[in-house]
Amino acid sequence: MAEIAIIGDLFMLPEVFAQKIETVCGNDHTIRTMQQPWPDVPMEHGYAVAGMDGLKEYFGTAEEVLDFVGGADIFVTHLAPLSRAMMEQLPNLKLVAVSRGGPVSIDMQASRENNILVVNTPGRNATAVAEFTIGAILAETRLIREGHESLRAGDWRGDLYRADRTGRELNEMTVGVIGYGNIGTKVVRLLRAFGTKVLVCDPYVQLSEQDRRDGVEHTSLEELLANSDVITMHPRVTSETQGMIGKDQFAAMKRGAIFVNTARGPLVDYDALYDALHSGHLGGAMLETFAVEPAPPDWPLLKLPNVTLTPHIAGASVRTVTFAAEQAAEEVRRFLAGEPPINPN
């Protein structure tokens, strides 16, 4: 009989994890659950807390996690941290299942050295983010945000119907997709349904035969920036991609281009983005992720009239919750059955 400790929150509900695990593993195991108050309370970002080196995003303290996990064999988590120092105090721990696209709350080097298997749930919110991205693009290109804000302020913007002011259709535009992983590929499929010309920049992937039949083009970053009416970001944050879009890249974009970031804040130099928007070089932006989260209320980008903003919610959907819990539960089942994991790290 295995002892399974589950730490969820107000998005990834711990009872959903428990139910999915019981469905595939039966109820012969001891399951304990704990609920954290995220997202009502912000998570930690970066390397701000001593003893949490190697962790990028997490929620909760080492003390509360250690007290709860205790002697468990299996730890299922969404955001709870697991540092090297914590692993050394959890001698029974054999498996950690993280319900995220990447195990950013776990010290992966330490887990390997301590023979703790870590699995995650890649693509868990790919559909949600891809659909959100299309909505973000439409909000800017079809003036949905501009019309909404003016009407709420009591201003009927009839001028938005003028030929020199109105928006453009996706079927006449070129959209550049930076990053062609789980999310980027779904964004491209959705864009093709609109008849959009699509450029893809990702040096680590090749286009499929279907992509080539659909007219998708694989280009360099320089070509993509120069030829796209809309640029949308979908890479992971790595040493190579951090700050990849800055002053020079914004200057290389078409005048009037739209910039969309539903990926991660560290990919972008937001001061440079502000300058490009404020000067009128860029026509607009849709920002879902920020340099600092929560975004400070006095942040200059919040004040610009040509920006649509949302509080990092692109990956939030009911299906994301159930899908991620199902993936995590299957990894637990496979571990208990002695089968190889699907998504080891």
Side-chain angles (χ1 to χ4, degrees), residues 231-278:
I231 294 94
T232 178
M233 301 292 292
H234 301 289
R236 289 192 177 278
V237 178
T238 66
S239 58
E240 186 177 1
T241 62
Q242 189 162 352
M244 68 179 295
I245 305 296
K247 180 180 178 180
D248 292 344
Q249 288 72 35
F250 287 122
M253 294 178 189
K254 285 184 176 182
R255 184 168 184 84
I258 304 297
F259 180 74
V260 177
N261 186 12
T262 59
R264 282 294 187 272
L267 299 168
V268 179
D269 180 339
Y270 279 98
D271 291 336
L273 175 58
Y274 176 88
D275 291 340
L277 289 163
H278 187 257

